[in-house]
Amino acid sequence: MMAAQKLPQLRGTLLLDEPMARHTTWRVGGPAQRFFAPADLTDLSVFLRSLPADEALLWLGLGSNLLVRDGGFAGTVIALHAALNSLALTAPLTVRAEAGVPCAKVARFCARNDLLGAEFLVGIPGTMGGALVMNAGAFGGMTWEHVSAVETINRAGNVRTRGPADFQIGYRHVQMTEGEWFVAAHLSLKHGDGAAAQARGKELLEQRNRTQPTNQPSCGSVFRNPRGDHAARLIEAAGLKGYSIGGARVSEKHANFIVNTGTATAADIEALIEHVAETVERMHGVKLVRECVVVGERG
Ligand SMILES: Cc1cc2nc3c(=O)[nH]c(=O)nc-3n(C[C@H](O)[C@H](O)[C@H](O)COP(=O)(O)OP(=O)(O)OC[C@H]3O[C@@H](n4cnc5c(N)ncnc54)[C@H](O)[C@@H]3O)c2cc1C
């Protein structure tokens, strides 16, 4: 059962038992006990202060790297993409993007302002917040290469600015400060030819459509690439292309993608992830590390 209510002093929307399948690109996932979409940053601060100190939180961008199990999330989801969506030039070569802004919008905004460096973001179907957490990257570019500062919020609703030196930043991984989450990024870019950046972005999107199953629900690459190799190559060489469990299938087009053929449950996807990892380890002796984030209760 789902219900929506306005909290008295809050302007955002609180949903109860909200199916997470509506908010993840895999289109699976059981209900979140509470799902809050703040009206803006002030509203988010007020909401955070109102929560019990031990409330489990799940921060959500566009759910493009997230597997929520079928039993749902026993806590509060904080959904930023419809809320923290301001995007502005704050200095001639600096863009401030709030955590809920889609990456593609950041890429287009930079190109329109003759700023280079963010073109790779055009094909990443997540938010700026998600890109910071995952150090999202593509075609040689990585999010944190362009970050000069970030703004974070804590459970007391206090916002602070931090520099890249405050985080351990790796390939598709960033060590977060405990109890703080991202609300904005400051990107430092180079001046250049915006039309060329737009053309480059278009090229990158075309390349994606050629090589990835972009028309089927997925979370992109399931595993990180091991050093000096490609997870997709190892999975394909293990004979797993097209292998299915329930409605989850290893994509024929790109072996590091698991697609929902329409009837997958989160349990199907998780079982397939485990099967792929075990098979690759048995056949190639390589332990694949999962890139997507798995949360929630088993159904
Ligand atoms: C078709 C497809 C192609 C993809 N291609 C790429 C690619 O080329 N390169 C790449 O790197 N990724 C790729 N991805 C994966 C995904 O888009 C990225 O990881 C993206 O950065 C996730 O952003 P999101 O907003 O969807 O995050 P979500 O999936 O909503 O969240 C991901 C994680 O970040 C946390 N989180 C989200 N927002 C915040 C916040 N503000 N503060 C703290 N924690 C937060 C969540 O709790 C979760 O743990 C692809 C996905 C798909 C579906």
Side-chain angles (χ1 to χ4, degrees), residues 73-133:
F73 182 72
T76 299
V77 171
I78 297 186
L80 298 186
H81 76 270
L84 301 187
N85 51 18
S86 121
L87 184 57
L89 260 184
T90 50
L93 299 176
T94 307
V95 169
R96 177 179 181 273
E98 284 192 333
V101 181
C103 291
K105 205 169 163 189
V106 177
R108 287 195 296 269
F109 179 84
C110 292
R112 270 203 310 278
N113 285 283
D114 287 331
L115 294 174
L116 303 187
E119 300 86 273
F120 74 93
L121 286 175
V122 78
I124 295 177
T127 58
M128 195 66 238
L132 288 172
V133 176

Side-chain angles (χ1 to χ4, degrees), residues 158-219:
N158 298 324
V159 175
R160 64 173 290 178
T161 301
R162 289 186 177 276
D166 291 338
F167 300 90
Q168 270 178 8
I169 299 157
Y171 162 64
R172 299 292 179 275
H173 178 75
V174 173
Q175 187 71 49
M176 305 276 295
T177 308
E178 182 70 22
E180 284 184 27
W181 301 276
F182 295 117
V183 291
H186 296 250
L187 303 177
S188 195
L189 300 146
K190 289 197 175 73
H191 182 74
D193 178 354
Q198 258 159 355
R200 169 95 181 117
K202 199 164 162 255
E203 216 174 87
L204 296 181
L205 278 179
E206 283 166 4
Q207 193 170 335
R208 254 173 208 283
N209 290 334
R210 273 198 308 276
T211 57
Q212 300 178 358
T214 47
N215 58 350
Q216 284 177 294
S218 79
C219 84

Side-chain angles (χ1 to χ4, degrees), residues 1-18 32-39 43 47 50-51 76-77:
M1 196 187 63
M2 194 183 72
Q5 62 186 88
K6 292 264 176 202
L7 296 180
Q9 53 311 36
L10 290 165
R11 289 165 291 118
T13 304
L14 182 67
L15 302 172
L16 303 182
D17 294 330
E18 172 67 1
Q33 266 174 10
R34 303 186 345 137
F35 182 101
F36 182 65
D43 199 43
F47 180 72
S50 76
L51 290 175
T76 299
V77 171

